[in-house]
Amino acid sequence: MDKRQAAALAVAGGIAVFLIKAVAYGISGSIALLSDALESIVNIAASIMMLISVRIALKPADENHKYGHYKAENISCFIEGVLVLIAAVLIFWEAARRILSPLEPSNLNFALVISLAATAINGLLALILMRTSRASGSIALEGDAKHLLSDVVSSGGVVLGLAIASLSGWMILDPLIAMIVAVLLVKVAYDILKKTAQELMDCNCPEEEKVIEDVLSTIDGYLEYHDLKTRRNGNTVYAEFHLCVNGNCTLAQAHDLTELIEEKLQEAIPQLSVMIHVETEEQVMSAEHSQ
């Protein structure tokens, strides 16, 4: 399954899950089940944005976007994190109101069975999206998969808590469980926003930098290298550094050396795009003195 198909499946699945959870809330009046349904609305909105962003990201590079359109996925993922945070606030607010004005749920056992069916669908969707995101390197699919997995965990907690409430008669658990769901959603939103912000801000790639340093240590023919910089854009890691060679090195020798380095680096990191700036020792010293 490709990214586009997975994104479309997430939208269709999200709508189905919301309708099922809405039925569960409608027959029970449980605020905890309402919080579960509200989160599904966020899932639908996020999945629609993800579908749009994936289609944009798949467009080839053009004159105005020479590095491609992949950042559309980062923007979508960031908005998804904001939506999750908004859902958490709304759920917490509604739960607090229900504590002040208690309302005992009805037909709770039947509603819980219906909610479990929706949770099972969400779990299957999350696994499909996570597998596709790993194969494609899509941060949008990964963000949606993690969101759905958190929904599975929170939904499971809601069902378990309400089952205990039904058996014990402690209906105060209904709004309290909703509050716990809200807190969990805040954590999910934080994780999504943190990861997305790092890529939007072109954070460096420490693991890939270590691989680059290890590869360069096995190659002879240069004096030293410096100013190593990396950033990630989707599956592609962009790297650049300055390579200092002997002043007697010819242009052809420098070209052959950089081609060898590029070949070795791309063997170690297949999705690497590297730019090497060659300079002589005299040029390096001159630059240092001018600073």
Side-chain angles (χ1 to χ4, degrees):
M1 181 179 293
D2 62 24
K3 291 198 296 184
R4 198 173 300 172
Q5 291 171 328
L9 179 63
V11 175
I15 293 173
V17 168
F18 166 70
L19 292 175
I20 295 172
K21 288 184 176 182
V23 170
Y25 165 67
I27 66 175
S28 67
S30 165
I31 188 62
L33 291 179
L34 173 61
S35 72
D36 220 15
L38 284 176
E39 187 179 358
S40 292
I41 294 178
V42 176
N43 289 348
I44 295 170
S47 294
I48 291 173
M49 284 191 307
M50 177 189 65
L51 178 59
I52 295 171
S53 71
V54 164
R55 288 181 174 175
I56 295 174
L58 287 173
K59 290 182 179 180
D62 56 33
E63 185 63 29
N64 294 324
H65 306 87
K66 295 185 178 180
Y67 286 97
H69 300 77
Y70 187 82
K71 292 293 185 184
E73 290 199 17
N74 296 84
I75 295 171
S76 169
C77 201
F78 188 86
I79 294 174
E80 179 170 355
V82 173
L83 288 175
V84 173
L85 190 60
I86 292 173
V89 173
L90 292 175
I91 291 169
F92 195 92
W93 175 259
E94 189 62 30
R97 287 181 57 195
R98 183 61 64 90
I99 288 178
L100 296 175
S101 303
L103 179 64
E104 185 171 335
S106 58
N107 300 313
L108 194 54
N109 293 337
F110 183 47
L112 293 181
V113 173
I114 295 174
S115 182
L116 278 175
T119 301
I121 295 173
N122 256 350
L124 180 60
L125 282 173
L127 291 176
I128 292 173
L129 292 181
M130 187 61 75
R131 182 175 299 177
T132 307
S133 74
R134 287 171 180 167
S136 63
S138 170
I139 189 174
L141 287 181
E142 181 186 348
D144 212 42
K146 288 181 177 179
H147 184 188
L148 288 177
L149 282 174
S150 73
D151 192 17
V152 170
V153 174
S154 62
S155 296
V158 166
V159 170
L160 178 61
L162 288 178
I164 294 173
S166 178
L167 292 173
S168 65
W170 299 341
M171 288 307 167
I172 189 65
L173 287 176
D174 183 30
L176 292 179
I177 291 169
M179 286 184 169
I180 293 172
V181 170
V183 173
L184 290 174
L185 286 180
V186 170
K187 175 62 168 60
V188 172
Y190 172 78
D191 290 340
I192 293 174
L193 291 172
K194 180 181 177 182
K195 180 177 176 61
T196 309
Q198 286 178 338
E199 291 206 13
L200 284 173
M201 294 296 292
D202 286 334
C203 188
N204 68 319
C205 311
E207 292 182 8
E208 284 77 8
E209 287 184 7
K210 179 64 168 59
V211 174
I212 291 172
E213 291 169 354
D214 290 343
V215 170
L216 288 174
S217 68
T218 66
I219 300 174
D220 297 321
Y222 65 92
L223 299 177
E224 55 95 16
Y225 67 91
H226 55 275
D227 288 348
L228 173 61
K229 300 175 184 176
T230 57
R231 66 182 179 90
R232 187 184 303 278
N233 188 21
N235 266 351
T236 304
V237 173
Y238 292 93
E240 61 178 88
F241 58 89
H242 291 229
L243 188 74
C244 180
V245 299
N246 192 289
N248 297 325
C249 181
T250 66
L251 180 60
Q253 289 172 328
H255 176 267
D256 291 343
L257 176 60
T258 56
E259 282 211 330
L260 172 65
I261 292 174
E262 288 176 5
E263 180 182 336
K264 294 294 185 183
L265 289 176
Q266 287 171 343
E267 285 177 2
I269 310 173
Q271 284 79 33
L272 180 70
S273 176
V274 60
M275 180 181 295
I276 304 173
H277 176 74
V278 178
E279 54 192 11
T280 65
E281 187 177 13
E282 290 78 12
Q283 289 173 321
V284 173
M285 293 177 64
S286 176
E288 290 176 349
H289 288 152
S290 64
Q291 291 178 352

